[in-house]
Amino acid sequence: MGRAAGARRHLRRGVAVVLLAVAAMLGVAAPAFAHTRLEGTDPADGSSLAEAPQRVSLTFNENLPAEFSAITVIGPDGAAYQSGAVSAQGTTISTAVRPLGPAGRYEIGYRVVSDDGHPVEGKVAFTLTAPGPAAAAATSPSAASPAPVAATPAPDGGSAPVWPWIAGAVVLVAAGVTVALRVGRR
């Protein structure tokens, strides 16, 4: 009977160790499961502007690398107005904007990669209430319309997901507990 009681005690300890290890891993890894979230834009989503912005900026809840971020600015005429590479400073990414064209709704599209490796994309919009400088140039008979700028897609990569590491750690801890219980029985 003493041997059976000792085995049960080892089993309870093993189960407790596994549960504590899993709880600790999930507690440490929980922030990694959260996707990035858009917190603000400049110009503000839904705003109406009399003058065209020279830059658009998007602020998120986590730092984002510029090389895995893309921003597009598409006008009511279907033309792309973003210009140059995306830059990042802390939680804010931004890009320059070419002179805007006709009055109307401009959509700012974005695609970023979260800390957990998942791509996050979305759109916000602002309305230009008066035609921009490019609209006047496009109506001029001597001016050629500017070619749309192609959006640079963000790579699907980024940092690797965390879940395989957590699953591997759980398997290793479970294997360690199993070995410890078997050695303890001998």
Side-chain angles (χ1 to χ4, degrees):
M1 185 139 140
R3 188 172 186 175
R8 280 191 297 253
R9 190 174 1 172
H10 283 293
L11 181 60
R12 281 190 295 238
R13 283 186 190 160
V15 169
V17 167
V18 169
L19 290 175
L20 286 172
V22 169
M25 284 186 287
L26 290 177
V28 169
F33 289 123
H35 292 311
T36 190
R37 173 177 78 253
L38 182 65
E39 293 189 335
T41 64
D42 184 18
D45 187 23
S47 64
S48 293
L49 307 173
E51 291 186 24
Q54 294 180 352
R55 283 191 91 63
V56 294
S57 300
L58 305 159
T59 302
F60 294 86
N61 65 323
E62 62 185 41
N63 291 340
L64 297 170
E67 60 270 14
F68 297 125
S69 302
I71 299 175
T72 59
V73 180
I74 307 298
D77 56 353
Y81 288 93
Q82 72 278 355
S83 174
V86 172
S87 62
Q89 187 172 22
T91 60
T92 301
I93 60 171
S94 63
T95 192
V97 177
R98 293 185 302 116
L100 297 185
R105 179 181 163 97
Y106 285 78
E107 281 193 350
I108 303 169
Y110 63 88
R111 184 164 196 258
V112 297
V113 178
S114 289
D115 280 342
D116 64 359
H118 288 94
V120 174
E121 54 188 66
K123 293 179 182 177
V124 294
F126 66 91
T127 301
L128 186 63
T129 58
T139 58
S140 166
S142 64
S145 69
V149 177
T152 304
D156 288 335
S159 58
V162 176
W163 70 266
W165 293 101
I166 294 171
V170 168
V171 168
L172 286 174
V173 168
V177 168
T178 302
V179 168
L181 289 173
R182 287 188 180 173
V183 169
R185 288 183 190 165
R186 293 183 187 166

